[in-house]
């Protein structure tokens, strides 16, 4: 059995969390295996609160590509190559599957570099840098795909312990995340006011708003002003403080985002709303989690993300959702 492996999953934050579940299963089955992880420096703080990483190898590929001939870039690339080659890995798992991660994988010392193949591969040049290519069966979630790759090499890993959903109590405290960097993956202010108003009235819900940008903070303020007495806007919460914050709430409510997946990973029940990304692919799985999928007004059908994700002029799959429908689908069972 391998003594050390390398995971190449550089971004984004939510995708990295989706990989945690598979690595957890690996460590539960083979606790003696050391795990190193290649990650973008912008995401590296997340791995500092993940218990199963031995070494974090941070890279800044965006800056490297922006200034390829800068002496700082050359020094940082040289330092990465030196670090990643300081161990010979039993296996390298490129869970990212793009050209960038393929190049990072190429520098590692290993006789077994495992990546995606076929329809599972994000960018075809990645295949140049791997020895074994895994094509996952259709219909798997992102979380299940990561597990499928590891089990292709290690065999069946230990099962997760089953969880039971506790009844949603009246007066529950929800951590609410309304923001996303793409406008057409957001529910919209009126939608949030309608949904949270129903939760406050019918379930006596209380809401803690978290935000990542000043624009998101202003949107939270607009929503809370329409729901006096049940809302609190938190100070900015860095990643290192998120575990403590999640310990203070009963549930998470938001859109497809890093915070949704991290809350699920920490065992917090979640309620999530999807539009331009597929809930069957990306929503947290298990009895603790509920999700709703909005429908595309243009009739687009997709397995992962809508082809209009970044260019849709309306975002109506989210913004035209009826708050009552959302409430009934996600929360009616709480009565």
């Amino acid at each position: 059995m391998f003594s050390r492996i390398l995971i190449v999953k550089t971004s984004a934050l939510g995708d990295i969390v989706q990989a945690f579940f598979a690595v957890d299963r690996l460590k539960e089955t083979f606790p003696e295996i050391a795990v190193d992880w290649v990650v973008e420096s912008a995401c590296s703080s997340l791995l500092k609160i993940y218990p199963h990483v031995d070494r974090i190898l941070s890279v800044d590929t965006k800056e490297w590509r922006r200034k390829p001939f800068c002496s700082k870039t050359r020094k940082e690339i040289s330092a990465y190559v030196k670090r990643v080659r300081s161990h010979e890995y039993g296996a390298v798992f490129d869970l990212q599957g793009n050209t960038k991660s393929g190049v990072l994988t190429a520098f590692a010392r290993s006789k077994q570099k495992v990546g995606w193949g076929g329809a599972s591969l994000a960018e075809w040049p990645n295949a140049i840098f791997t020895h074994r290519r895994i094509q996952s069966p259709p219909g798997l979630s992102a979380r299940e795909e990561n597990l499928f790759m590891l089990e292709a090499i290690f065999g069946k890993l230990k099962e997760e312990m089953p969880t039971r959903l506790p009844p949603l109590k009246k007066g529950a405290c929800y951590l609410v995340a309304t923001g996303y960097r793409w406008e057409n993956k957001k529910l919209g202010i009126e939608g949030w006011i309608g949904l949270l108003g129903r939760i406050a009235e019918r379930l006596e819900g209380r809401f803690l708003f978290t935000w990542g940008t000043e624009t998101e903070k202003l949107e939270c303020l607009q929503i809370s002003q329409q729901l006096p007495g049940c809302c609190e806007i938190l100070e900015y919460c860095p990643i290192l403080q998120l575990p403590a914050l999640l310990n203070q709430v009963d549930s998470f409510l938001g859109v497809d985002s890093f915070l949704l997946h991290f809350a699920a990973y920490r065992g917090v029940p979640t309620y999530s709303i999807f539009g331009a990304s597929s809930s069957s692919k990306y929503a947290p799985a298990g009895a603790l989690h509920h999700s709703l999928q909005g429908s595309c007004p243009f009739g687009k059908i997709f397995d992962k993300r809508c082809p209009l994700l970044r260019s849709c002029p309306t975002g109506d799959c989210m913004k035209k959702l009826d708050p009552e429908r959302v409430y009934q689908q996600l929360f009616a069972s709480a009565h």
Side-chain angles (χ1 to χ4, degrees), residues 43-289:
C43 301
S44 62
S45 59
L46 175 59
L47 289 175
K48 293 177 182 177
I49 55 175
Y50 181 59
H52 297 317
V53 172
D54 190 58
R55 291 196 311 161
I56 301 170
L57 286 74
S58 296
V59 296
D60 191 352
T61 61
K62 184 176 181 180
E63 188 67 11
W64 295 353
R65 285 175 289 172
R66 195 171 72 88
K67 299 179 179 179
F69 304 111
C70 174
S71 60
K72 181 174 180 288
T73 297
R74 294 197 302 271
K75 289 178 182 178
E76 289 180 357
I77 293 175
S78 177
Y80 166 72
V81 173
K82 183 177 181 180
R83 288 197 71 200
V84 80
R85 295 187 65 79
S86 64
H87 291 288
E88 180 163 3
Y89 294 100
V92 178
F93 295 91
D94 184 349
L95 296 174
Q96 195 79 21
N98 58 23
T99 305
K100 171 186 66 178
S101 64
V103 174
L104 295 170
T105 295
F107 288 116
R109 289 198 297 138
S110 178
K111 296 177 181 178
Q112 185 161 210
K113 296 179 181 180
V114 186
W116 297 115
S120 302
L121 186 59
E123 297 177 3
W124 70 263
N126 178 273
I128 299 171
F129 306 105
T130 56
H131 304 133
R132 183 169 177 183
R133 298 166 196 99
I134 308 299
Q135 182 166 353
S136 64
L140 294 186
S141 67
R143 174 175 163 181
E144 292 168 332
E145 284 182 336
N146 294 322
L147 180 62
F148 185 84
M149 180 186 284
L150 294 189
E151 290 191 330
I153 304 302
F154 291 100
K156 188 69 174 175
L157 300 176
K158 283 186 177 179
E159 298 287 344
E160 290 183 59
M161 294 295 292
T163 55
R164 294 181 179 274
L165 181 65
L168 188 64
K169 61 185 180 181
K170 282 198 171 185
C173 180
Y174 299 81
L175 182 64
V176 179
T178 65
Y180 201 84
R181 68 180 184 274
W182 294 329
E183 185 65 28
N184 57 16
K185 286 188 74 172
K186 295 165 65 174
L187 185 60
I189 291 175
E190 293 304 317
W192 278 114
I193 292 171
L195 174 60
L196 298 183
R198 285 162 171 79
I199 299 172
E201 178 185 356
R202 302 171 191 177
L203 297 175
E204 300 173 10
R206 298 179 294 112
F207 311 110
L208 300 181
F209 287 88
T210 185
W211 49 274
T213 67
E214 288 298 322
T215 298
E216 291 174 8
K217 185 178 181 181
L218 289 174
E219 291 172 350
C220 293
L221 179 61
Q222 287 180 267
I223 296 167
S224 65
Q225 287 174 339
Q226 300 300 314
L227 301 167
C230 60
C231 299
E232 178 184 348
I233 300 175
L234 301 171
E235 295 298 320
Y236 175 77
C237 183
I239 286 176
L240 295 178
Q241 296 176 18
L242 282 178
L245 173 59
L246 288 167
N247 287 339
Q248 301 174 34
V249 301
D250 300 301
S251 188
F252 173 89
L253 173 60
V255 297
D256 178 23
S257 66
F258 156 61
L259 275 173
L260 165 66
H261 300 297
F262 192 67
Y265 178 71
R266 297 287 300 184
V268 176
T270 66
Y271 298 85
S272 54
I273 305 160
F274 286 73
S277 54
S278 168
S279 60
S280 61
K281 190 72 176 181
Y282 298 109
L288 291 176
H289 310 293

